[in-house]
């Protein structure tokens, strides 16, 4: 999750309500959470919201480097859109 957190911090520096805490979760407030969730879903990345405007990315043992690369590419393309 640290890789995801670093990319989110790079793309949306003001999106973290608090610094990344080193867990498998990355929780942040992007400028348009609904559009981001839709964009990521269209790219094959499943994410969710935990409150209005708050996106949660989660990693676990089944998430490999290829999946992280896909998620990072999707995040970058969303920010560029």
């Amino acid at each position: 999750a640290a890789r995801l957190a670093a990319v989110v911090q790079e793309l949306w520096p003001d999106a973290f309500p608090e610094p990344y805490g080193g867990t498998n979760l990355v929780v942040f407030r992007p400028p348009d959470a609904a559009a981001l969730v839709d964009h990521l879903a269209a790219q094959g990345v499943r994410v969710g919201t935990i409150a209005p405007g708050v996106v949660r990315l989660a990693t676990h043992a089944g998430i490999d480097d290829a999946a992280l690369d896909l998620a990072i590419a999707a995040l970058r393309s969303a920010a560029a859109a």
Side-chain angles (χ1 to χ4, degrees), residues 21-42:
T23 69
N24 70 318
L25 302 176
V26 179
V27 178
F28 62 105
R29 291 182 176 271
D32 187 342
L36 178 61
V37 169
D38 290 345
H39 180 87
L40 294 176

Side-chain angles (χ1 to χ4, degrees), residues 1-12 16 20 23-28 40 45-47 56-60 63-65 67-76:
R3 285 179 59 198
L4 293 174
V7 170
V8 169
Q9 182 67 44
E10 172 192 331
L11 299 174
W12 300 286
F16 279 107
Y20 169 67
T23 69
N24 70 318
L25 302 176
V26 179
V27 178
F28 62 105
L40 294 176
V45 179
R46 293 173 49 197
V47 302
R56 182 186 80 158
L57 306 174
T59 62
H60 55 78
I63 303 296
D64 60 12
D65 286 339
L68 284 174
D69 291 342
L70 174 69
I72 289 168
L75 288 166
R76 290 190 185 285

